[in-house]
Amino acid sequence: ILCRWRKRNIPVTDSNFQLQKDNIDSIHSPITYFMQFFPESLIRTIVEQTNLYSTQKIGVSINTNYSEICMFIAIQIKMSILHLPSYLMYWSKEMRFPPIADSISLKRYQKLRRFLHFVDNSTQFPNKLFKIQPVLDAVRNECIKIQPEQSHSVDEQIIPAKTKYSKFRQYNPKKPVKWGFKNMVRADSSGFMYDFYIYGGKDSKQLALSDDATHLQKSAQTVVKLCQHLPVKQNHQLFFDNWFTTLDLLIYLKEIGINACGTIRGNEDLKKNGRGAVDFRSDFNSGILVTKWYDNNAVHIGSNFVGIEPMSTIDRWSSEIKEKVPIQCPQIITMYNKGMGGVDLADMLISLYRTEVKTRRWYIKIFWHCIDIAKVNAWLLYRRHCNEMSISKKSQRTLLKRKLENDTLPGKKPFTPTPNEILRFDQISHWPEPRSQRGRCRLCKSGYSQIYCSKCHVCLCLKSSNNCFKEFHCK
């Protein structure tokens, strides 16, 4: 497209926007909000594939079920709130955490952690992400159903991972998180994530777009892909940085009915004119305006819906007179600063209680990141509903500290810790009592017994060939 640039401001675009409310009668429970983004059908798929994977690996199914997988996910969420250096500490004598240790045994937890799986390995898929694709699709499909707010931003998100067995792990030495998977995200100004996809490398064929968008650069096609489910011609505003911005992208988004604004990589400097200096050009044929504004450095920015007026003033520190001075700021800069940063805010919310699991399987890292996305989106949707109904909001941590389903597995009794040495060796009122069900011996660990110590509340072998009851109570 041939542009004829003139030093004129672009006409003011109608920016009226009305968010459609969800019309809810009452605030739902925390688990209801979470399950809205992590559906029951996905959990049942995980149950099926976990049992199948264990059969393929060891020849025997671990026979997990829906309730147990729900508890396993809830346990990991609790671990993200009360973080310890090693997951073994939650079951240790010194650091034992009853809400977790009483709910499931350590060996059962390790089994679930080892065989957690999402797809049949015997099926061949051309997609590099096939091991985690069912989870990505399920969570994404639930996110895009939520009614979008007006301002959105597109940016990259890094999923921390140092696992070596992956072909699309990224390394960026200039980022705070240097190793990880790149997740391209569209989020609103509150941090709610509406759409995302994992970047599979430069050779991946993830950008399946319509023919009218194939002329755009790869970075610009990322924006188009993430906006496929954003309603057009409803005054939604989209912001992105200079890695994505091209003039062709701004023109394309204007043609389909999406207001867009993004910084541009430029090479001109306004330093000689001082802070607050502004220069701009616009093309009336396409409705694109490009602005240069000098703050600490020259900022280049383009837009298809907002111009430089009305100008506002902002305070900046002057090193010469040692005080803050007002400088002029164009409207396009004000709008960009207000609308950009939703993905960074989402990153911050995830990092508060990130679900961290040490593993060599790369797709497990992405799975727990999807749990974090569902967790943060659930809290933000809850907060939106509270604002609609004028109800005081609870913090994200309060909502995460929900009770595990039934606290224990069906038919499982709470774990009893080994008594201290004063109680154990006092030789007073340690009476053996029979039990209807046998339990594992607390001393030899390999035997099972129906004999129960009335004072120590543990099972112990009491046989002619193996008298653990006596050995347990004598030094």
Side-chain angles (χ1 to χ4, degrees), residues 410-429:
K412 177 177 170 59
K413 297 183 185 260
F415 175 81
T416 303
T418 302
N420 57 53
E421 293 186 355
I422 297 176
L423 178 67
R424 178 177 171 181
F425 301 126
D426 63 2
Q427 298 185 0
I428 300 173
S429 300

Side-chain angles (χ1 to χ4, degrees), residues 15-35:
S15 60
N16 292 330
F17 178 81
Q18 184 65 39
L19 177 65
Q20 297 180 6
K21 296 185 178 181
D22 295 329
N23 296 324
I24 58 171
D25 297 328
S26 61
I27 299 299
H28 305 306
S29 64
I31 185 63
T32 303
Y33 282 105
F34 178 80
M35 296 297 286

Side-chain angles (χ1 to χ4, degrees), residues 81 348-350 352-353 372 375-376 379 394-401:
I81 300 173
M348 185 274 292
L349 293 173
I350 289 176
L352 293 177
Y353 307 104
D372 290 335
K375 190 169 59 178
V376 169
W379 178 66
K394 297 181 181 179
S395 66
Q396 182 185 179
R397 179 175 180 177
T398 303
L399 290 180
L400 291 180
K401 289 172 64 178

Side-chain angles (χ1 to χ4, degrees), residues 277-425:
V278 180
D279 192 11
F280 63 94
R281 297 291 185 274
S282 65
D283 175 49
F284 266 52
N285 294 330
S286 60
I288 304 299
L289 178 130
V290 179
T291 304
K292 294 179 294 183
W293 177 67
Y294 184 74
D295 188 10
N296 290 324
N297 293 297
V299 178
H300 298 73
I301 189 169
S303 172
N304 64 12
F305 77 100
V306 61
I308 65 168
E309 295 179 351
M311 299 286 286
S312 60
T313 58
I314 56 176
D315 292 334
R316 288 292 187 266
W317 177 260
S318 173
S319 58
E320 297 177 356
I321 61 176
K322 305 301 181 183
E323 64 180 20
K324 289 185 177 181
V325 296
I327 65 172
Q328 63 177 354
C329 179
Q331 177 69 4
I332 186 174
I333 298 293
T334 304
M335 292 286 291
Y336 181 83
N337 290 338
K338 183 179 178 180
M340 190 63 182
V343 178
D344 293 335
L345 179 57
D347 268 343
M348 185 274 292
L349 293 173
I350 289 176
S351 65
L352 293 177
Y353 307 104
R354 187 185 299 277
T355 308
E356 297 181 354
V357 176
K358 293 182 180 179
T359 178
R360 293 183 177 182
R361 294 185 289 168
W362 59 267
Y363 53 92
I364 298 295
K365 289 283 189 179
I366 299 178
F367 169 74
W368 291 115
H369 185 76
C370 289
I371 293 288
D372 290 335
I373 290 177
K375 190 169 59 178
V376 169
N377 278 2
W379 178 66
L380 292 173
L381 184 61
Y382 157 82
R383 192 173 68 171
R384 181 194 292 186
H385 289 171
C386 286
N387 289 334
E388 291 178 3
M389 301 186 67
S390 300
I391 299 175
S392 60
K393 301 178 288 293
K394 297 181 181 179
S395 66
Q396 182 185 179
R397 179 175 180 177
T398 303
L399 290 180
L400 291 180
K401 289 172 64 178
R402 59 184 179 85
K403 193 175 180 66
L404 294 176
E405 293 182 357
N406 299 327
D407 286 332
T408 56
L409 290 174
K412 177 177 170 59
K413 297 183 185 260
F415 175 81
T416 303
T418 302
N420 57 53
E421 293 186 355
I422 297 176
L423 178 67
R424 178 177 171 181
F425 301 126

Side-chain angles (χ1 to χ4, degrees), residues 1 106 112 125 135 140 182 190 233 335 348 393:
I1 299 176
L106 174 59
L112 293 174
F125 293 93
V135 178
R140 177 177 176 269
K182 186 182 292 186
S190 68
K233 298 181 180 179
M335 292 286 291
M348 185 274 292
K393 301 178 288 293

Side-chain angles (χ1 to χ4, degrees), residues 20 47 115 200 206 214 226 266 350 423 443:
Q20 297 180 6
V47 172
F115 294 112
Q206 296 174 299
T214 54
L226 292 173
I350 289 176
L423 178 67
L443 184 63

Side-chain angles (χ1 to χ4, degrees), residues 143-304:
C143 291
I144 61 180
K145 292 179 182 178
I146 304 302
Q147 182 67 26
E149 295 189 1
Q150 183 177 21
S151 297
H152 295 251
S153 60
V154 171
D155 206 348
E156 65 180 29
Q157 188 180 72
I158 301 298
I159 305 174
K162 291 187 177 180
T163 173
K164 299 179 181 178
Y165 303 99
S166 121
K167 297 181 180 179
F168 48 90
R169 183 188 58 163
Q170 303 290 314
Y171 174 69
N172 193 333
K174 297 182 180 180
K175 294 285 187 179
V177 180
K178 295 178 174 57
W179 290 99
F181 304 110
K182 186 182 292 186
N183 187 28
M184 313 307 294
V185 181
R186 172 171 63 87
D188 65 19
S189 56
S190 68
F192 190 100
M193 292 159 279
Y194 292 93
D195 203 354
F196 63 90
Y197 75 92
I198 304 297
Y199 177 67
K202 61 181 181 180
D203 298 330
S204 64
K205 300 179 180 180
Q206 296 174 299
L207 301 174
L209 304 175
S210 58
D211 294 337
D212 59 344
T214 54
H215 69 283
L216 300 174
Q217 295 181 7
K218 290 291 185 181
S219 59
Q221 290 182 16
T222 298
V223 177
V224 177
K225 178 179 176 64
L226 292 173
C227 294
Q228 287 178 332
H229 298 279
L230 183 65
V232 298
K233 298 181 180 179
Q234 294 187 15
N235 291 331
H236 288 288
Q237 299 171 356
L238 188 65
F239 301 90
F240 33 83
D241 61 20
N242 56 23
W243 193 81
F244 302 97
T245 309
T246 65
L247 292 180
D248 288 339
L249 175 61
L250 294 175
I251 295 172
Y252 174 81
L253 292 176
K254 185 176 181 64
E255 290 175 350
I256 65 175
I258 296 179
N259 298 331
C261 178
T263 54
I264 302 173
R265 296 179 182 179
N267 55 6
E268 296 188 37
D269 195 2
L270 293 176
K271 186 175 182 179
K272 61 182 180 181
N273 296 332
R275 297 167 78 175
V278 180
D279 192 11
F280 63 94
R281 297 291 185 274
S282 65
D283 175 49
F284 266 52
N285 294 330
S286 60
I288 304 299
L289 178 130
V290 179
T291 304
K292 294 179 294 183
W293 177 67
Y294 184 74
D295 188 10
N296 290 324
N297 293 297
V299 178
H300 298 73
I301 189 169
S303 172
N304 64 12

